[in-house]
Amino acid sequence: MNAGLDFSDCFEELFQYDVISFDIFNTLLMRKVVEPSDIFIKLGQEMSQLEMLPEGIDPVHFSILRMEVEKSQKKSKNKDVSIYDIYRAFSDIFSFDIEKTVELELEMEKRNTYLNPILYDLIKKLHVEGKRIILITDMYFSQKQIEQLLDYAGMDLSLVEEIFVSSDWDVNKRDGRLFERVRDEKKLDVKRWIHIGDDFVADVLGSERAFIHPYRYNIFQKIPLAIKFEKNGFGGGIPSLYSLRLIMNERINVSDKKDNFWYKQGALIWGPVLTAYGEYVLSMAQKNAVSQIYFMMREGVLLRKVVNEAQKNRNTDFLLSYLYVSRSTTILARKKYFDRDVFDRIAMDQDMTVEMVFHVLRIQDFIGPYKKDRGKEILKMSGREMDELYRYLAREDIRVRIEDRIRYERNELFGYLRETIRLDSDFILCDIGWSGTHSQAIQSVLHEKMKKEPKAITYFVWANTQSVNRMMDGNGLITGLLKEWNSGGFSLSQYSRYLEMQFMDETGSVIGYDASNSYRPILKETGISSSQLEWFKDFQQGVLDFQNLFYQCKRDTEWNDFLEEDICKIVKRLFLSPTKEEAQNYFELEFEENLMDIGIQLANLPNEINKCKKMSPEVYLSCADGKEVSWPQGIVSLYNPAYHYIRSIEDDDFRRNYIMPIYNLCVELIKNNIKQVLVYGAGFAGQIFSELAAICEIDVVCFIDQDPYKWGLEFYNGETICSLKDAKNNKCKEVVIASFDWLDEMRQAIRNEMPDATIYQIR
């Protein structure tokens, strides 16, 4: 394990107890799905394939029935039930092989659960210290079935003294009786016993009712806004990595990285994407029997680190090396002759000026007719003007000069490739993506210079339609982990320069090769500030730390079953529904001269935000020009941090009916310039208000609740729960009633204790 990620010392207080009990599901065992009920959908899909479901019952319908039957059985029997009780009750709906179905569900759980590495590591350390470890869970599986799940996940069961399951004992944790049964069976001193679990009612209140010390460990309690946006509007990104990302988030929250935006962005957003990329590249290398992999600099810095870590995990021995190429060294070398395609490729850069075109072509002395009036102008000419410029450049004397330069750059590039790559065999090129200019130039030069050129296979993180359509000469190939044509029309090209910078280090860009010194790359010093380079180091460390966590948890081949559309959702969410924090930090990036974009300069932000305010976000997004404003969705987030979140729930009747009234309450508070509130009601509505208040930058001082068992405990986003009597001593006198019921009673209770309070409620 990476020592920098070992946060088990945060559990130091546990070592003072003799007995430490753990909840199992969502604590020690995590699922590879976004919602636990998704397991039942997967089960339904398998049963459907085995023709075990009757006609008219699809996997989703089966999932709903499975949950409802379990709920009704618990209610009718007034206790936790076994999995056999649940499926026997299905006989009133349709008949099937109960034993086979139980076996399938257990197998489905095995394939979709893994050990939480943080808590498993903690258990091993506690065991070494001689502590008694007990597992206690409210679950329909039996003790033997739970043991099978844990064993399959890779747990050493000898570390555990005993496992207690509610369905075996006819009592549960929620009312404290299962804890009491464990106490009596094991003759435990409750003063020397602490229980760790995620559920507020079962694990915290239940253990308190049995006078046992509770310790709440709940990775689902403080979900980052970015992942909430992703879950609501984009299906949770990669479902198999959803809980793993939340374990990573918990690690960050207890580390010195908790306020480090770029580290978190690397760990929680790009870590999953690039972990998948590392697996993808090595899988393709093995499939194509290619032994050498080259990473195109400068963006190749991070990609090489990721693939190197993947290689360590797989115990493979591919050659991994850097290839120093750049736009400067490949844009002319891509073709043998100067034609309209070469011109269009140069002119397509949205910040390219007429003067820069002449500079790229190394014909500055021919700029005469354009120097005075048009030299500094960005190429946003009419079609006629572009045709006129191309005809001028295609004049024979100018074209001869350009093609001399093309031959020179192709010879230089070949010299460098010959010195760097083993050209007697095929090789892989790795890059972020976009146009494929570098790959095309490399293959074109090899095709010209060699009798039998090797195949250059380029694997992008993101392959757009244009790069693949521009197939290389010879037998090269361009493809990618994520493909524009499979992502619902979403193109990352508009946002590309926000990404390229983060993958770099202090290495400068390549401007040529020194032929007198084995074609050593000549580097232009980077124009990035030292403070921004530190951001990128943090970002890259976050990516690698997530990847490290991924390999700690990997127990079977299913982790490799990344679906392209799932990974794509993470990237789409970032740019289509950014949080305010993401927009602020990405807009603050400094860009080198060759990556400058006039649409994202900080000086332009106030004007764009004001436009958004005047137009409304909907109108602004519909008419924003990608060339003028490179990231209109980011501007919207700066103006209204909750806009994308609210849009993400519009198609969900349940969430819309509950969330919109609470959001409207937040809007009312903002209009009244209320920045701090007390919240009455630590229930479901309180959770939603806590979530929306965080997005809307409203500070919840504390939650108020009538249940004395909750007093002093933490609520949804870490807020303290207190009594109304204690809350009245607070300086804040604005009270929000977070409830849809008992409003009159709550208002009266507040008035009795806090007559000077201003009360707001959901309408």
Side-chain angles (χ1 to χ4, degrees):
M1 179 190 285
N2 184 328
L5 287 178
D6 183 3
F7 297 138
S8 59
D9 59 345
C10 297
F11 299 102
E12 188 174 347
E13 65 183 273
L14 304 182
F15 287 81
Q16 64 182 295
Y17 294 91
D18 298 329
V19 179
I20 298 93
S21 60
F22 290 82
D23 173 46
I24 297 179
F25 292 91
N26 287 345
T27 302
L28 179 58
L29 270 183
M30 294 295 173
R31 289 186 173 98
K32 298 188 234 177
V33 290
V34 177
E35 298 291 349
S37 58
D38 293 344
I39 291 286
F40 302 140
I41 297 177
K42 288 176 175 284
L43 175 61
Q45 290 169 342
E46 188 149 332
M47 292 177 70
S48 179
Q49 290 174 1
L50 295 172
E51 298 183 348
M52 293 175 63
L53 295 181
E55 188 175 347
I57 303 292
D58 62 25
V60 174
H61 190 189
F62 169 80
S63 170
I64 295 170
L65 287 173
R66 169 66 179 78
M67 290 186 287
E68 288 302 316
V69 169
E70 178 185 344
K71 190 185 300 181
S72 65
Q73 283 294 295
K74 285 181 177 179
K75 186 176 181 180
S76 65
K77 296 178 183 294
N78 195 29
K79 65 175 186 177
D80 271 22
V81 294
S82 74
I83 191 167
Y84 287 99
D85 292 330
I86 295 168
Y87 282 118
R88 277 194 289 267
F90 260 85
S91 60
D92 295 335
I93 306 171
F94 59 88
S95 60
F96 54 86
D97 186 331
I98 292 177
E99 284 292 340
K100 178 66 173 177
T101 306
V102 170
E103 181 184 323
L104 283 175
E105 181 166 333
L106 185 61
E107 186 63 30
M108 190 61 65
E109 287 279 8
K110 286 179 181 179
R111 296 204 305 263
N112 287 280
T113 51
Y114 66 97
L115 281 174
N116 182 332
I118 305 296
L119 296 190
Y120 187 42
D121 185 59
L122 173 63
I123 286 174
K124 288 185 281 189
K125 291 181 178 180
L126 289 167
H127 185 265
V128 169
E129 294 294 321
K131 306 299 181 181
R132 299 174 69 182
I133 310 297
I134 298 173
L135 305 185
I136 307 175
T137 183
D138 287 347
M139 193 61 181
Y140 39 78
F141 286 129
S142 67
Q143 177 187 333
K144 288 186 178 180
Q145 290 169 326
I146 296 290
E147 287 175 351
Q148 290 179 47
L149 287 173
L150 292 168
D151 180 66
Y152 187 88
M155 183 171 184
D156 179 359
L157 292 174
S158 69
L159 300 173
V160 178
E161 185 173 319
E162 195 163 343
I163 300 173
F164 288 82
V165 184
S166 61
S167 59
D168 288 344
W169 291 85
D170 288 338
V171 290
N172 58 46
K173 291 186 295 183
R174 298 175 71 86
D175 58 10
R177 288 192 296 161
L178 183 55
F179 291 109
E180 292 170 353
R181 187 66 64 87
V182 175
R183 177 198 64 199
D184 296 340
E185 287 288 323
K186 307 300 294 184
K187 296 180 171 52
L188 302 178
D189 179 359
V190 293
K191 293 180 180 178
R192 307 297 303 160
W193 177 7
I194 190 168
H195 176 72
I196 302 172
D198 69 296
D199 190 273
F200 183 70
V201 176
D203 294 303
V204 178
L205 298 184
S207 59
E208 279 204 329
R209 288 187 174 101
F211 304 102
I212 299 162
H213 301 282
Y215 186 109
R216 193 176 190 192
Y217 176 87
N218 186 357
I219 63 169
F220 302 95
Q221 184 179 9
K222 299 177 183 177
I223 303 175
L225 287 180
I227 296 181
K228 286 179 182 175
F229 281 23
E230 187 181 294
K231 181 182 177 183
N232 288 344
F234 298 85
I238 307 175
S240 63
L241 298 186
Y242 178 72
S243 58
L244 192 63
R245 293 164 76 190
L246 298 185
I247 292 174
M248 187 73 222
N249 182 61
E250 181 67 19
R251 286 183 164 189
I252 295 171
N253 286 337
V254 296
S255 74
D256 59 358
K257 305 290 189 183
K258 61 183 177 182
D259 297 319
N260 187 323
F261 170 81
W262 288 108
Y263 178 85
K264 290 189 292 185
Q265 196 71 5
L268 301 178
I269 307 303
W270 284 98
V273 175
L274 295 181
T275 294
Y277 180 76
E279 291 288 301
Y280 166 71
V281 168
L282 291 185
S283 295
M284 293 299 100
Q286 290 175 318
K287 182 179 180 180
N288 291 283
V290 178
S291 63
Q292 48 182 336
I293 304 173
Y294 296 91
F295 301 86
M296 291 192 268
M297 291 292 282
R298 293 173 299 163
E299 294 86 345
V301 170
L302 178 54
L303 298 184
R304 186 184 185 279
K305 292 176 182 177
V306 166
V307 175
N308 186 54
E309 287 302 311
Q311 172 148 274
K312 288 178 186 176
N313 180 73
R314 287 184 173 219
N315 294 316
T316 53
D317 192 29
F318 295 102
L319 169 67
L320 308 181
S321 187
Y322 291 124
L323 191 67
Y324 287 85
V325 292
S326 68
R327 193 168 185 271
S328 296
T329 62
T330 60
I331 194 165
L332 291 184
R334 189 173 60 86
K335 299 189 76 171
K336 296 180 184 179
Y337 309 105
F338 178 70
D339 58 12
R340 184 60 188 252
D341 179 54
V342 174
F343 171 75
D344 288 342
R345 179 73 197 114
I346 295 171
M348 71 179 290
D349 191 314
Q350 63 186 28
D351 303 317
M352 182 69 69
T353 65
V354 174
E355 194 173 79
M356 288 166 64
V357 171
F358 283 84
H359 174 75
V360 168
L361 296 172
R362 303 295 195 273
I363 53 168
Q364 294 93 321
D365 51 327
F366 283 99
I367 198 173
Y370 289 89
K371 185 172 184 178
K372 184 176 180 181
D373 299 322
R374 309 296 295 276
K376 299 292 183 182
E377 184 176 335
I378 292 177
L379 288 179
K380 291 178 181 174
M381 302 176 171
S382 66
R384 182 183 59 80
E385 290 171 320
M386 290 290 281
D387 291 343
E388 181 183 294
L389 176 58
Y390 170 68
R391 284 195 296 271
Y392 176 70
L393 297 175
R395 204 176 72 187
E396 185 175 359
D397 55 336
I398 300 177
R399 181 177 56 78
V400 168
R401 279 276 300 278
I402 294 172
E403 291 180 352
D404 283 344
R405 185 65 193 183
I406 288 175
R407 282 190 291 274
Y408 173 82
E409 294 199 2
R410 287 174 69 86
N411 287 335
E412 269 207 331
L413 179 59
F414 178 68
Y416 172 67
L417 296 174
R418 186 179 55 203
E419 293 290 329
T420 307
I421 300 175
R422 297 201 312 248
L423 295 177
D424 58 343
S425 61
D426 296 344
F427 57 91
I428 286 173
L429 300 172
C430 294
D431 199 0
I432 296 179
W434 326 133
S435 62
T437 302
H438 303 340
S439 304
Q440 191 177 27
I442 289 167
Q443 191 67 53
S444 176
V445 166
L446 295 179
H447 184 64
E448 177 192 17
K449 303 291 185 181
M450 300 182 68
K451 291 182 179 178
K452 184 179 184 303
E453 83 274 19
K455 182 179 182 181
I457 309 172
T458 301
Y459 292 121
F460 285 153
V461 177
W462 187 279
N464 63 16
T465 308
Q466 183 184 54
S467 65
V468 177
N469 285 343
R470 187 182 288 113
M471 296 303 291
M472 298 174 285
D473 295 332
N475 61 351
L477 171 69
I478 299 177
T479 186
L481 171 70
L482 308 177
K483 303 174 184 67
E484 179 179 298
W485 54 94
N486 285 342
S487 62
F490 172 71
S491 173
L492 196 58
S493 302
Q494 178 180 339
Y495 316 100
S496 62
R497 51 197 76 201
Y498 290 102
L499 304 181
E500 293 179 18
M501 302 293 287
Q502 301 166 76
F503 287 64
M504 303 176 186
D505 62 7
E506 61 275 2
T507 304
S509 58
V510 186
I511 57 174
Y513 306 101
D514 184 354
S516 66
N517 188 10
S518 300
Y519 290 94
R520 179 183 61 84
I522 302 170
L523 303 179
K524 176 186 176 184
E525 187 174 336
T526 179
I528 307 171
S529 69
S530 58
S531 60
Q532 186 156 300
L533 286 172
E534 288 300 316
W535 295 350
F536 299 158
K537 288 179 182 177
D538 290 336
F539 173 85
Q540 294 182 23
Q541 188 59 53
V543 170
L544 297 174
D545 284 350
F546 177 85
Q547 187 183 25
N548 177 276
L549 179 65
F550 169 81
Y551 287 126
Q552 286 179 55
C553 297
K554 185 181 173 201
R555 294 290 179 187
D556 55 58
T557 56
E558 281 195 76
W559 286 102
N560 291 327
D561 294 339
F562 293 113
L563 296 178
E564 177 190 321
E565 58 266 32
D566 289 336
I567 306 170
C568 184
K569 289 174 185 175
I570 294 179
V571 184
K572 288 174 72 173
R573 194 287 311 163
L574 170 61
F575 291 106
L576 298 183
S577 297
T579 67
K580 181 178 180 180
E581 184 183 27
E582 286 172 329
Q584 285 174 328
N585 282 276
Y586 276 95
F587 277 132
E588 285 178 5
L589 286 175
E590 304 166 12
F591 289 82
E592 292 183 306
E593 184 178 342
N594 66 326
L595 289 175
M596 272 303 296
D597 183 335
I598 58 171
I600 58 173
Q601 293 183 62
L602 282 172
N604 290 341
L605 288 182
N607 291 335
E608 292 302 324
I609 294 171
N610 193 46
K611 281 183 189 176
C612 180
K613 181 179 180 180
K614 289 180 178 179
M615 292 181 177
S616 81
E618 291 81 4
V619 176
Y620 182 81
L621 289 172
S622 67
C623 66
D625 183 348
K627 291 184 178 180
E628 295 293 341
V629 182
S630 58
W631 194 16
Q633 297 88 350
I635 297 293
V636 168
S637 288
L638 294 181
Y639 165 61
N640 180 354
Y643 176 80
H644 296 301
Y645 178 88
I646 296 302
R647 284 292 300 272
S648 73
I649 65 169
E650 285 183 344
D651 296 330
D652 187 320
D653 290 339
F654 176 79
R655 285 189 292 176
R656 186 177 64 249
N657 292 338
Y658 274 93
I659 292 176
M660 283 307 298
I662 298 175
Y663 171 67
N664 292 334
L665 174 57
C666 289
V667 172
E668 181 183 355
L669 293 171
I670 293 170
K671 287 180 179 178
N672 291 335
N673 200 31
I674 305 298
K675 300 293 185 182
Q676 281 192 332
V677 293
L678 307 173
V679 182
Y680 195 124
F684 179 66
Q687 288 185 24
I688 297 175
F689 182 84
S690 175
E691 186 171 295
L692 284 167
I695 299 172
C696 295
E697 301 176 328
I698 298 169
D699 178 32
V700 176
V701 177
C702 67
F703 271 83
I704 304 165
D705 201 274
Q706 292 178 324
D707 187 346
Y709 282 106
K710 296 181 180 180
W711 297 345
L713 300 175
E714 283 192 355
F715 191 53
Y716 188 67
N717 273 330
E719 308 94 341
T720 301
I721 302 175
C722 66
S723 67
L724 185 55
K725 188 170 290 187
D726 288 337
K728 73 177 182 180
N729 297 322
N730 200 287
K731 291 181 180 179
C732 178
K733 300 302 178 185
E734 281 71 33
V735 183
V736 167
I737 298 178
S739 177
F740 291 92
D741 303 307
W742 311 103
L743 298 179
D744 292 339
E745 290 85 345
M746 289 183 172
R747 288 182 67 89
Q748 190 58 50
I750 296 169
R751 286 283 177 235
N752 290 342
E753 289 288 348
M754 302 174 63
D756 56 342
T758 303
I759 301 174
Y760 295 86
Q761 66 186 56
I762 302 168
R763 302 183 189 282

